[in-house]
Amino acid sequence: MRADNWLSPGNLRFGLGQASRFMPGVSIAPTSTPPARPAAAQRLDLERLLVTDPADGVRRSLRFLLENRIDADGVLILRRGKLALDYRRSGFDPAQPRLLLEATRPILVTQLARAAAEGRVAREKAITRVLPELSGVRELGKLSLQRLLAGRTGLQWSETEIARWQQEAGWVPGSRTGVRAWLDARTSWPRASGDTGVDLAGPEGELLVWAAEKAWKKSAPELLCDLQGIIRARNPAFWATDTTGTPLADGLALSLGDFASLGQAFLDARNRPGRRTLAPAWFVDTVANPSDASSAKPASVLGLGPDTGWQYRFAHPGHRGHRTAIIGAYGTSLYVDFDYGMVVAVFASHAERHSPLLMASLRNLWDEVARPGGTDSGQR
């Protein structure tokens, strides 16, 4: 395994949990160790709970879906804060920080939403007002921070530019200046007209990190320390940087348990709003409620079903109910069902980044385990 192939499909299972071996970055340990989560009175049974296999519509065991459709490495399911399922592939370490890749971006949006609620930044301002270093870019002067948060910038990137971004960020060898210097040097940022070009994983995500640091007047590692305190993290985290030390938009690595704790923090923010909650009430209500499923969304999110909405880089599967989902890469995802107090945290290493079968399998997993009675012995 080398610096140019550690995130290739055959190496994902190891590479995602070993980012610090291949990239520079900052490791941060939590300042305290909260007690372990209590077990739910009724646990999910991997063999007895049947889930619809989207490949052929046949009802098969939850274990089959996790191992053969999602390629799950670890899954934690919480029901009202208690552990209902702790699935681990052989050799998986649930305490090891693992790259979230594009699942980092909704977390950054959440931090910026909290900054806006505290008056630290205005969402209606142009990106160039938040990042004066880019004031010479005409296209960004017409683009609000709100559209960046929503993942609807319309920015267009060629395959050559995507490859250069990956180099400058350090995901593959070949960096010349570092990712921010590369962005700063760009004189043109082509945009599509209308609401096309929704962003799931592109160079514009680096603006989220930059804006969060500006809004909070803190470095990304300091923001990570704050996040660890809010979610009551139990394990160390890692934030990958480029060669100049700039934290990356897709560079956050959390343990599976802390990823689940992030989901629980969203539940707590809605049920017990307060100053030290993860996000302001308006933001949690927005991502928890159904949105217009007919509006533009990333192609990968379409695999969750035609009834899936997309807002603030969170998916909302279904026309009704209060729920939200963070979609990462290769099956890694975080689902929060506010109606049933359910959190489903998945670390996976599927061979395809966002295959339709993978997305449909995640949707069926969420729908089945969140059903009333879904945490009992699996009998229907």
Side-chain angles (χ1 to χ4, degrees), residues 295-378:
S295 62
K297 67 195 73 164
S300 57
V301 174
L302 294 173
L304 294 173
D307 59 348
T308 299
W310 174 257
Q311 50 192 345
Y312 286 110
R313 301 177 187 262
F314 288 75
H316 187 285
H319 290 306
R320 56 182 69 176
H322 302 92
R323 58 185 74 113
T324 195
I326 290 175
I327 306 301
Y330 310 112
T332 291
S333 54
L334 182 67
Y335 172 78
V336 181
D337 191 307
F338 296 90
D339 295 332
Y340 295 109
M342 176 79 74
V343 173
V344 182
V346 177
F347 278 176
S349 49
H350 191 77
E352 296 184 58
R353 199 174 189 101
H354 303 108
S355 78
L357 180 59
L358 171 61
M359 294 294 104
S361 298
L362 288 172
R363 175 67 186 271
N364 286 359
L365 166 66
W366 301 336
D367 288 349
E368 298 282 354
V369 300
R371 285 183 180 181
T375 53
D376 60 21
S377 63

Side-chain angles (χ1 to χ4, degrees), residues 46-51 59-65:
L46 284 168
E47 308 299 341
R48 299 181 67 188
L49 177 57
L50 300 181
V51 182
R59 302 281 285 176
R60 294 190 169 94
S61 70
L62 175 57
R63 182 184 295 278
F64 180 91
L65 193 78

Side-chain angles (χ1 to χ4, degrees), residues 131 133-134 137 140 155 157 164-165 168 177-189 202-208 210 246:
L131 302 173
E133 293 88 344
L134 301 175
V137 181
L140 296 185
L155 291 168
W157 304 91
R164 180 70 185 279
W165 161 59
E168 295 299 347
T177 63
V179 70
R180 283 191 190 168
W182 175 67
L183 291 172
D184 193 23
R186 293 179 58 82
T187 57
S188 176
W189 293 55
E204 68 284 336
E206 308 300 342
L207 302 180
L208 286 171
W210 206 347
T246 298

